[in-house]
Amino acid sequence: MDELLNNKTFAVHAAAAAAAVTLGTTLTYPLDTLKVLIQVGSTAGKPLNEAEVLYRVRALSGYSGLYNGVAWMTLGRTLGLGVRFGVYEVVTAFYKDGREDDYVSVAEALMAGFVAGTAECVVASPFELIKLRAQVASASPTMHVPSVSEKGVIPTLPSRLLPRYSMDMKAMSNSMGLLSTLTTQHRHVNMFDALKEYPWMMTGSGKPPPVNNVQMPSDIVSLEGWTAMWRGLRSGLVRDSIFGGVFFSSWQFLHQAMLSWKAVGMDPVPRYDTEAGPLSPIAVTLAAGVSGSIAAAASHGFDTTRSRSQCTVLPKYVTMERKFLKWKRPGKRFERLTGIHPADRNLLLNGISLRMARCGLASSVIVGSYFLAIEHLVSN
């Protein structure tokens, strides 16, 4: 009977958490779309603003384009937050073991948050990549669908790597024009068809296909390989570990400050935090929102790096060539360790206000709706 009751309690909490995450993600997703498009679309000489990005999305995809990829984001965030809070509870359980009071210091919460954020990054990375590609597609021109005659022209190897992509014949003709200066003895008998057999000529220009044409999971795996699902893992690990550490330590600090303030007027003064009683759901909700905004500001530079890395299409043959040539990452030692590209140094703070607003609002909504759902479900 006790086991059945425990399973029912766990199911209630899981359902409340999933509903809270879905609500928080749906309400704040347009802010995330605008933030991502500003991060990946800005250059050092031409930064984008919210109005420009919103106009482009509305013109190409309509307002519904702001929700491209929301299902992937919801699924990834549900699993990621479950791992983050689960790992945090497990780690802090070791800290609280043997103590008379369930007390966790700010430093302990910081270290536990680092571990929890790292675990969350590994789990949520594939969903975040697909979500970001869908968001970029909402601000990109519609992909050209090849006709039946065009499909017959595309050679076997490129068509296997990216089945729904049509080769840019104009770019191929321009490439042929550049090669026309070769002497007859250095030219292939049928150079036009020969070039199309090479995967790096999929676009006709030697460049990878645009990111909006490589957004489906099957296309990503086929062209870029399974490892692409964890692209930008270095910067992602740093971002999520900092976010988790700052979020939980800030929340613990605010939680402790509110408990101390509540205990001031009590007689006798409580010896332990549990004697002061629980805080109101509104206070906990506001503390979560403030902690989310602070954590977003602290980790935003690495979020920009992660977004720009995931927006890059890197075919498998390029990755293989880099491995054979022992390609070294550009930049200083810190940049190589954290995955920051030197060209992105002046772009790291782009979209920081949007991310702070999104993380703060999402944290408040998730925590507040979770407590509301638990109170309603348990009372029933």
Side-chain angles (χ1 to χ4, degrees), residues 64-328:
S64 61
L66 294 172
Y67 282 92
N68 275 17
V70 66
W72 291 106
M73 178 73 162
T74 302
L75 180 58
R77 188 162 292 277
T78 302
L79 296 176
L81 287 180
V83 171
R84 185 205 297 179
F85 282 92
V87 172
Y88 177 78
E89 290 297 329
V90 170
V91 175
T92 53
F94 286 97
Y95 291 137
K96 294 184 290 187
D97 188 27
R99 296 178 180 175
E100 296 183 12
D101 190 12
D102 290 339
Y103 175 76
V104 178
S105 67
V106 174
E108 291 170 342
L110 179 68
M111 298 305 297
F114 284 157
V115 178
T118 302
E120 178 190 7
C121 178
V122 176
V123 173
S125 284
F127 305 98
E128 185 179 348
L129 173 73
I130 302 170
K131 178 269 302 184
L132 184 137
R133 298 282 178 91
Q135 289 173 323
V136 174
S138 68
S140 304
T142 306
M143 182 182 68
H144 169 65
V145 179
S147 62
V148 177
S149 58
E150 287 177 324
K151 289 180 179 179
V153 174
I154 304 175
T156 305
L157 181 56
S159 65
R160 284 206 309 267
L161 291 173
L162 200 58
R164 285 177 292 275
Y165 185 74
S166 178
M167 183 176 291
D168 189 344
M169 303 308 293
K170 183 178 179 181
M172 176 64 82
S173 300
N174 291 336
S175 299
M176 286 297 301
L178 295 174
L179 296 174
S180 61
T181 56
L182 294 175
T183 60
T184 306
Q185 61 180 350
H186 291 94
R187 266 194 259 173
H188 193 276
V189 177
N190 193 346
M191 186 179 292
F192 194 84
D193 290 335
L195 284 177
K196 289 191 293 185
E197 294 294 336
Y198 291 92
W200 52 83
M201 290 302 292
M202 294 176 68
T203 59
S205 60
K207 298 179 181 179
V211 66
N212 58 297
N213 286 344
V214 193
Q215 55 175 306
M216 299 300 294
S218 57
D219 292 339
I220 296 172
V221 173
S222 176
L223 181 65
E224 303 178 75
W226 282 103
T227 56
M229 291 295 187
W230 287 268
R231 176 158 301 148
L233 187 61
R234 290 171 180 258
S235 54
L237 289 173
V238 178
R239 179 200 65 181
D240 289 343
S241 62
I242 292 177
F243 186 94
V246 174
F247 176 81
F248 284 113
S249 60
S250 301
W251 198 0
Q252 183 66 23
F253 174 80
L254 294 173
H255 185 80
Q256 190 64 36
M258 289 186 292
L259 282 177
S260 300
W261 178 264
K262 183 179 179 180
V264 169
M266 299 181 67
D267 188 23
V269 178
R271 294 174 55 198
Y272 303 118
D273 293 341
T274 53
E275 296 177 357
L279 295 171
S280 67
I282 296 178
V284 176
T285 299
L286 292 177
V290 173
S291 301
S293 295
I294 296 174
S299 61
H300 183 73
F302 302 101
D303 180 74
T304 301
T305 300
R306 181 77 183 278
S307 297
R308 294 179 70 86
S309 175
Q310 291 179 327
C311 191
T312 303
V313 177
L314 197 64
K316 288 183 284 190
Y317 55 84
V318 176
T319 305
M320 188 178 300
E321 288 176 352
R322 288 182 174 183
K323 183 178 179 180
F324 288 154
L325 297 174
K326 297 181 179 180
W327 179 79
K328 294 183 179 180

